[in-house]
Amino acid sequence: MKRGKGFSRREFLGASALIGGLAAFRPSLGLAQAKKRISIATGGTGGVYYPYGGGMANVISKYLPGVEATAEVTSASVDNMKLVGAGKADLALTMVDTAFDAAEGKEKFKNKEPIMTVAALYTNFMHVTSLAGKGIKGVADLKGRTVSTGSPNSGTEVMALRILEAFGLNPEKDVKRDRLGVTESAGALKDGKIDAFFWVGGLPTAAILDLAATPGVTMSLVPHDEAVAKLSAKYGPIYFKETIPKTAYPHQTADTGVAAIANILVCNAKAEADFIYNVLKVFFEHQAELVAVHKEAKNLTLEKAVKGSPVPFHPGAVKFFKEKGKM
């Protein structure tokens, strides 16, 4: 095409074809751009957070049009609060004590994290796990032993250190600390590399279930519910006494009194209210699909979902639960 002259017929047809091609391409490009991708921060693969979060991601992706969700493996609670606070994760599972510290800017959090509660999910049970031949009958018996207190920056680590202190043990001086996730901890205990490990999670926890079912291994759970009074005196009414029934894991001969804490789902305070509302809507409408992934999802009820969190509920959650007559 020469400058200053009109289109030739060939040039006109070529340009028309190009424009037509772009017009045909644009709608598909628009659809791809419209897909909202969200991340759910969970925990290690051997606990409850990861499969439960995976179930949530599947339900969201399946029933919320235009949204694709992915469950991310993390070190759990502490890291999860930082990820949500920084906008690097959209939803996260966490223990209440860690969420409260994050919202208040205390302990492991230098600043207040902009997090809000979506729903209370289920109870986390602290497992202080050893083997029958180790002679560990109580937390005080951990003095001088090699103990895993959980992954760095996990809710397990936060609670484990507090329980050790409640029994008069200095976590930095009185025990030899390893900082392993639950799967790695169970393997290390089985291999004789550690004497016990802490893990806080739902029932049953897959890695502990596998440990208890291992031929030739007699797993023992160490009672520690008497720590709750001291924990509550120092940190407020966040922790409570619970029981791990002997039926939760193979070959257990007695129920075990433990410290427990509520587990919640949180989001960033800037999350869209409609999005949080719709997330809760699909969770409750398709709860059976969550339960099929992990039975802890049975504990997601309208009555329990609004209780146990000192962190304010997100406006989208408030709208949902008010419509259900629970707020």
Side-chain angles (χ1 to χ4, degrees):
M1 180 173 60
K2 294 180 180 180
R3 192 169 181 176
K5 292 188 177 182
F7 284 109
S8 69
R9 185 172 183 277
R10 178 179 296 177
E11 289 167 342
F12 176 80
L13 291 174
S16 298
L18 176 61
I19 293 169
L22 289 173
F25 177 73
R26 188 173 295 129
S28 62
L29 179 63
L31 286 173
Q33 290 174 334
K35 196 79 170 179
K36 180 177 182 178
R37 302 182 187 279
I38 71 160
S39 171
I40 303 174
T42 63
T45 56
V48 176
Y49 281 9
Y50 182 67
Y52 198 160
M56 291 178 172
N58 288 338
V59 167
I60 290 172
S61 299
K62 189 174 179 180
Y63 297 107
L64 278 188
V67 180
E68 183 176 326
T70 304
E72 306 290 348
V73 175
T74 71
S75 292
S77 295
V78 176
D79 280 350
N80 289 358
M81 297 305 89
K82 293 178 179 179
L83 289 168
V84 169
K88 295 180 179 179
D90 301 276
L91 298 168
L93 290 86
T94 181
M95 288 162 47
V96 162
D97 54 356
T98 305
F100 186 64
D101 285 348
E104 294 293 312
K106 301 189 303 184
E107 299 289 337
K108 291 182 178 289
F109 301 92
K110 295 180 181 179
N111 302 300
K112 294 182 178 181
E113 299 290 350
I115 61 166
M116 301 191 82
T117 301
V118 177
L121 300 175
Y122 65 94
T123 297
N124 274 355
F125 297 74
M126 175 55 82
H127 299 63
V128 183
T129 311
S130 188
L131 300 180
K134 297 285 186 179
I136 298 173
K137 304 297 182 184
V139 173
D141 296 329
L142 295 176
K143 187 172 184 177
R145 305 295 189 106
T146 302
V147 181
S148 173
T149 52
S151 300
N153 292 329
S154 66
T156 292
E157 184 178 59
V158 170
M159 193 170 173
L161 301 186
R162 291 178 178 182
I163 288 174
L164 286 169
E165 291 172 351
F167 281 93
L169 298 180
N170 184 323
E172 305 304 327
K173 297 179 180 179
D174 293 330
V175 298
K176 299 172 184 177
R177 282 181 64 198
D178 270 348
R179 305 172 77 191
L180 307 173
V182 64
T183 301
E184 295 78 14
S185 292
L189 180 61
K190 189 163 46 177
D191 294 340
K193 295 178 180 178
I194 62 175
D195 297 301
F197 68 86
F198 286 80
W199 164 255
V200 63
L203 299 180
T205 289
I208 298 178
L209 192 64
D210 290 343
L211 175 66
T214 302
V217 170
T218 304
M219 186 191 79
S220 65
L221 294 173
V222 180
H224 58 274
D225 53 334
E226 60 188 272
V228 171
K230 288 186 177 180
L231 293 172
S232 297
K234 186 171 183 178
Y235 301 105
I238 295 173
Y239 304 99
F240 50 92
K241 291 184 179 182
E242 256 296 357
T243 299
I244 297 179
K246 62 184 179 182
T247 55
Y249 297 102
H251 313 305
Q252 301 303 293
T253 58
D255 297 341
T256 306
V258 302
I261 187 170
N263 180 81
I264 61 175
L265 183 69
V266 303
C267 65
N268 190 287
K270 293 182 179 179
E272 295 178 4
D274 285 348
F275 171 68
I276 298 302
Y277 176 92
N278 287 325
V279 163
L280 285 169
K281 187 172 185 289
V282 297
F283 283 174
F284 280 95
E285 287 179 351
H286 305 282
Q287 186 180 5
E289 294 186 33
L290 295 176
V291 175
V293 175
H294 200 287
K295 70 178 186 179
E296 280 292 1
K298 289 181 179 178
N299 292 308
L300 179 62
T301 67
L302 290 171
E303 289 72 22
K304 293 179 181 179
V306 297
K307 298 176 182 177
S309 178
V311 179
F313 278 75
H314 188 275
V318 172
K319 178 183 176 183
F320 177 83
F321 290 118
K322 276 189 174 180
E323 286 185 3
K324 301 297 181 181
K326 301 304 177 183
M327 277 188 171

